[in-house]
Amino acid sequence: MAAFRLAHLSDPHLPPLPAARLRDLAGKRAFGYLNWTRNRHKYHRRDVLDALVSDMQAQQPDHVAVTGDLVNLALDAEFNPARQWLEGVGSPADVTVVPGNHDAYVRATRHRFVSHFGDYLRGDADGAATHFPFVRRRGPLALIGVSSAVPTPPLMATGWLGHPQLDALDAILAQLSRENAFRVLLVHHPLHSDGRAKRLTDSHQLLALLRRHGVELVLHGHDHIHSTMWFDGPERKIPAIGVPSASALARKHYPAAAYNLFTIERDGNGWRCEQTVRGLGDHAGIRELKQVRLS
């Protein structure tokens, strides 16, 4: 069987931000809008995002995973352009998406992500319904999508899964542990964070499920950095991989835009997984940054 290639990008924070009406900028959005106009618009660039996606498509991955934060303030006017961008990345059959905290920025539009992108996050057995967690089978992969996206107060960017989602995930992982699949968990927030304002608040419960049932790989975004963390599984350590914002120029301790490309194939009774990182280097253009064997 030929190796399966899974691409992973995250946090495109699709620029530019559309014009906002004054009545849309109450509460948390006011802080976000000021941050965008004074700061974030300088380093989230559409030309960078387009170059990254073009390079990714040139690698001809078998599937693409996008781990959230397609939009910025969850304004009504942001969702149609984000949908058009996502269609340019690939079809719902070829791309899987989970939401980030910016996609559920405020209560008024927290459900817009599901209504606009439902066919990109619908499980294979779910019919017309869209719910979390979901499972999509692609080649040897079982892609498991969860949502950590919840509205939060100003200056907070925490995530939360909640008991109903965790209970359903427990049953899904128990079933998949009996199958011969390479299990990939997609979640926006990292499974560990030193920042209280950005953490996944029930990560300890998720980590307990992973210790009991295991997966082969966790993919996330949120922190806008290259990240590899290892967590306990029932038999071996589980790599959890984060990636920088797909539209970012380098600034301070945040690296420039990058994406991951995973090559996955059977290796005896186990799996072989190699990670290639491609991104914006020191000079203009996208190039290979490193290769790592994960298993």
Side-chain angles (χ1 to χ4, degrees):
M1 180 183 295
F4 190 94
R5 305 179 81 207
L6 174 67
H8 169 223
L9 58 84
S10 195
D11 297 76
H13 289 284
L14 195 69
L17 187 70
R21 300 168 297 184
L22 186 60
R23 67 174 180 267
D24 292 330
L25 298 179
K28 182 170 183 172
R29 277 190 180 141
F31 290 91
Y33 183 77
L34 286 173
N35 190 20
W36 178 270
T37 55
R38 293 179 178 180
N39 187 26
R40 292 171 68 97
H41 80 279
K42 299 174 185 177
Y43 57 87
H44 284 297
R45 297 265 298 271
R46 182 59 186 261
D47 59 332
V48 171
L49 178 60
D50 290 346
L52 194 78
V53 170
S54 179
D55 184 87
M56 180 191 70
Q57 291 172 331
Q59 309 307 312
Q60 298 183 317
D62 296 294
H63 199 75
V64 179
V66 184
T67 50
D69 279 0
L70 276 65
V71 302
N72 296 286
L73 306 183
L75 296 165
D76 286 328
E78 288 186 272
F79 287 97
N80 282 339
R83 171 73 193 210
Q84 293 170 8
W85 171 79
L86 191 59
E87 290 172 349
V89 174
S91 72
D94 298 324
V95 180
T96 298
V97 177
V98 294
N101 56 295
H102 281 262
D103 302 315
Y105 204 65
V106 295
R107 292 185 183 278
T109 53
R110 66 173 298 183
H111 299 298
R112 291 292 299 274
F113 190 88
V114 169
S115 65
H116 270 72
F117 308 115
D119 45 353
Y120 283 89
L121 43 83
R122 186 170 298 128
D124 293 334
D126 294 337
T130 300
H131 58 81
F132 299 100
F134 62 81
V135 179
R136 308 181 100 193
R137 309 290 186 128
R138 299 295 184 269
L141 272 58
L143 297 159
I144 309 140
V146 297
S147 175
S148 60
V150 292
T152 57
L155 307 180
M156 296 294 288
T158 51
W160 181 72
L161 298 176
H163 288 294
Q165 200 173 177
L166 287 164
D167 289 345
L169 182 62
D170 190 5
I172 286 171
L173 293 180
Q175 174 63 37
L176 289 175
S177 68
R178 298 189 287 269
E179 300 180 17
N180 188 22
F182 187 95
R183 300 157 295 173
V184 183
L185 178 66
L186 306 178
V187 59
H188 179 68
H189 288 76
L191 276 57
H192 172 77
S193 177
D194 294 327
R196 185 171 181 81
K198 297 187 68 174
R199 65 194 176 98
L200 181 64
T201 57
D202 48 4
S203 62
H204 61 290
Q205 294 168 267
L206 176 57
L207 289 172
L209 293 183
L210 296 182
R211 284 195 299 272
R212 184 156 63 248
H213 301 301
V215 295
E216 278 62 52
L217 181 64
V218 179
L219 302 180
H220 68 85
H222 193 53
D223 284 343
H224 295 196
I225 60 173
H226 297 284
S227 173
T228 301
M229 294 182 280
W230 294 85
F231 298 98
D232 290 334
E235 298 177 356
R236 60 185 64 85
K237 293 285 188 177
I238 300 167
I241 310 295
V243 69
S245 163
S247 63
L249 296 174
R251 67 178 184 95
K252 298 181 181 178
H253 68 280
Y254 294 105
Y259 70 93
N260 294 315
L261 187 64
F262 300 94
T263 303
I264 299 157
E265 58 187 328
R266 292 295 305 182
D267 186 8
N269 294 324
W271 295 97
R272 180 185 181 95
C273 178
E274 295 183 348
Q275 174 194 9
T276 299
V277 183
R278 295 184 63 83
L280 195 64
D282 296 332
H283 304 287
I286 308 299
R287 63 179 179 85
E288 183 178 308
L289 303 179
K290 68 174 182 178
Q291 284 190 339
V292 180
R293 180 168 176 178
L294 299 173
S295 62

